[in-house]
Amino acid sequence: LLPSFLGKVNDKGLPNNALLALSVIAILIGSVFSFTELAGLISAGTLIAFIIVSLGVYALRPREGKDIQEPGFKMPFYPVLPALAALGSGFIFYELDNQAKIYAFGWFALGLVIYAVYGAKHSKLSQN
């Protein structure tokens, strides 16, 4: 769904336009928030992503041998390990300071709004 100029790569295969755009965004965000705030936000985002990935194993595992013929990895100690990973990450997220949680949910909400507004207009599904 991103603009096509961000996907262009140079002759070495590097997406210079995307790197430049992300660098500018990172500089702007880094100039507004303190290091402590950014560290909390990054920790919260990483934990949320790990929780989602851990729980996603439960959706993928039943598909093995059906529409996923050769799984790219095997989850050891399934179904216990994904639950423990999600619960452990959830506990660490819960222990983060409230400001990090508020920022994380704010960024999540902003991302949903941007996705809904921009994505609905630029989706290949909506063009069919």
Side-chain angles (χ1 to χ4, degrees):
L1 294 178
L2 294 174
S4 61
F5 78 92
L6 290 176
K8 291 185 180 168
V9 294
N10 65 10
D11 46 344
K12 293 183 180 180
L14 297 174
N16 285 341
N17 294 339
L19 290 172
L20 180 63
L22 285 175
S23 297
V24 169
I25 291 169
I27 289 169
L28 291 174
I29 291 172
S31 66
V32 174
F33 296 100
S34 72
F35 179 78
T36 305
E37 292 170 326
L38 288 175
L41 178 62
I42 290 168
S43 295
T46 303
L47 288 166
I48 291 169
F50 194 72
I51 291 168
I52 292 170
V53 168
S54 296
L55 296 176
V57 171
Y58 291 110
L60 289 176
R61 190 66 178 252
R63 295 173 49 195
E64 288 180 9
K66 296 175 184 136
D67 61 337
I68 301 176
Q69 296 302 323
E70 183 100 13
F73 71 95
K74 289 283 189 184
M75 170 62 73
F77 307 116
Y78 176 84
V80 176
L81 190 59
L84 290 176
L87 287 171
S89 298
F91 176 74
I92 296 170
F93 180 83
Y94 175 76
E95 292 295 318
L96 290 175
D97 65 336
N98 287 334
Q99 186 178 31
K101 292 182 226 176
I102 291 169
Y103 283 165
F105 287 118
W107 278 107
F108 182 72
L110 178 66
L112 284 177
V113 169
I114 291 171
Y115 180 76
V117 173
Y118 179 85
K121 185 175 181 183
H122 294 87
S123 171
K124 294 190 189 248
L125 291 174
S126 69
Q127 295 172 1
N128 291 339

